[in-house]
Amino acid sequence: MDPFSAEGELLTVHNAFHQGQYQTVLDFNTSSLSQSNVIPARILKLRAQIAVGDAQGALSTIKKDSGPDFAAVKAFIQYSLGDTSSATKQIEQLVESSSENATVQILGGIVLQAENRTEEALSLLSKHQGNLEAISLITQIHLQQNRTDLALKEVSAAKKWAQDSLLVNIAESWVGMRVGGESYQSAFYVFEEMAQTTSSTSSKSLISQAISELHLGRLPEAEAALNQALGNEPRDIEATSNAIVLATIMGKRAEQQQYLDELRDSQPDHTLLADLEEKGKLFDQAAGKYAAKVA
């Protein structure tokens, strides 16, 4: 039985992880789990520990653990700590030796995509055997490629056998945000339910709700959701980056600058900052072509 299925032992902790409820994952009691689910549960707890910023602590707990699952986690931690070259080499070795391992597929796929090795990431993730996280990552990658058609195809295939899965609903909502139209509202319902239900609310779900509100043109509601997320986690990188976008749209220059300064302090290499710098240079180049000439 799939431990993450509706009948599986790990459904609750698996859903909590993907809803961004990392403390719930860390507090999850694994003492009564069947032996086959002990390692998958440990991997989720380690990933939650990394997500809350304690990568070093996670690494210290698995120094003596062996096997491809823990080797993949160690490489992922190294990558998150900035040792990208060594971590990528380790992932390459694991792909060669253990590409059928689910943890290697997921964490290896994340690292390879982060290195812009998209085809290798997709090739690795496509080896999954009904792994919904692999499907959601494939969907994300296709959306990053601007291949909404392939992302929609991936989600549609998964819905045939896992239509009640939280991850499938989330992935379908991502696609809906790209498709637009009535799909905006459908995505909003999914994210709003996650964000406003006590058992599933988190900064991650609030950010998702805010983004869907933004697409629907409901700026005050988007601002309220982001403020709630930032109230829960003031240094949340994704909440801050989305607050920059919203403040820009709403014409709130002071808030925009405040959030920009916070993002530069927290993560100076963030994608949004790199994109803004690139667009600024392109604008200056374009403007230079139309500079007034004095005869």
Side-chain angles (χ1 to χ4, degrees), residues 236-247:
D236 187 285
I237 297 298
E238 295 312 311
T240 301
S241 60
N242 280 287
I244 292 169
V245 174
L246 182 60

Side-chain angles (χ1 to χ4, degrees), residues 4 12 42 44 46 50 68 70 86 93 112 124 150 187 200 218 228 232 276:
F4 303 132
T12 300
R42 278 195 70 193
L44 280 175
L46 288 164
I50 297 165
F70 295 108
S86 176
Q93 293 170 1
L112 290 171
L124 177 60
L150 295 180
S200 61
R218 301 199 289 243
Q228 189 177 346
N232 294 340
L276 287 172

Side-chain angles (χ1 to χ4, degrees), residues 71-268:
V73 174
K74 290 173 185 176
F76 185 70
I77 290 173
Q78 279 188 295
Y79 195 90
S80 68
L81 292 174
D83 187 3
T84 57
S85 178
S86 176
T88 303
K89 288 179 181 177
Q90 290 183 53
I91 289 296
E92 290 170 350
Q93 293 170 1
L94 286 167
V95 171
E96 285 292 322
S97 62
S98 307
S99 63
E100 301 303 317
N101 178 277
T103 306
V104 172
Q105 291 169 0
I106 298 302
L107 299 184
I110 293 172
V111 169
L112 290 171
Q113 178 62 12
E115 287 292 296
N116 296 313
R117 294 164 61 172
T118 297
E119 294 307 317
E120 291 173 76
L122 288 171
S123 176
L124 177 60
L125 289 165
S126 67
K127 297 179 184 293
H128 76 86
Q129 298 295 317
N131 187 309
L132 291 173
E133 186 171 6
I135 290 170
S136 72
L137 287 171
I138 291 170
T139 302
Q140 277 191 351
I141 291 172
H142 286 324
L143 289 174
Q144 289 174 17
Q145 294 177 305
N146 290 318
R147 290 300 307 271
T148 307
D149 57 325
L150 295 180
L152 183 59
K153 181 179 179 181
E154 195 72 30
V155 170
S156 297
K159 284 183 67 177
K160 292 179 181 178
W161 55 274
Q163 64 177 354
D164 295 327
S165 162
L166 173 69
L167 263 180
V168 171
N169 286 332
I170 292 173
E172 184 177 26
S173 299
W174 294 336
V175 176
M177 298 281 275
R178 184 64 61 85
V179 171
E182 294 181 358
S183 297
Y184 284 148
Q185 191 67 43
S186 298
F188 165 73
Y189 288 140
V190 171
F191 294 133
E192 182 197 35
E193 182 177 359
M194 288 171 52
Q196 302 306 322
T197 302
T198 304
S199 61
S200 61
T201 190
S202 67
S203 293
K204 187 175 184 178
S205 59
L206 284 164
I207 294 166
S208 298
Q209 179 189 339
I211 294 170
S212 62
E213 298 271 26
L214 180 57
H215 279 287
L216 287 164
R218 301 199 289 243
L219 303 188
E221 291 84 351
E223 185 177 35
L226 279 178
N227 285 341
Q228 189 177 346
L230 287 166
N232 294 340
E233 297 183 44
R235 305 296 288 179
D236 187 285
I237 297 298
E238 295 312 311
T240 301
S241 60
N242 280 287
I244 292 169
V245 174
L246 182 60
T248 303
I249 294 171
M250 297 181 77
K252 296 186 175 183
R253 296 295 299 275
E255 290 185 19
Q256 176 201 42
Q257 191 58 54
Q258 173 194 334
Y259 291 130
L260 276 169
D261 292 341
E262 290 178 7
L263 188 59
R264 289 190 179 106
D265 289 341
S266 301
Q267 191 171 326

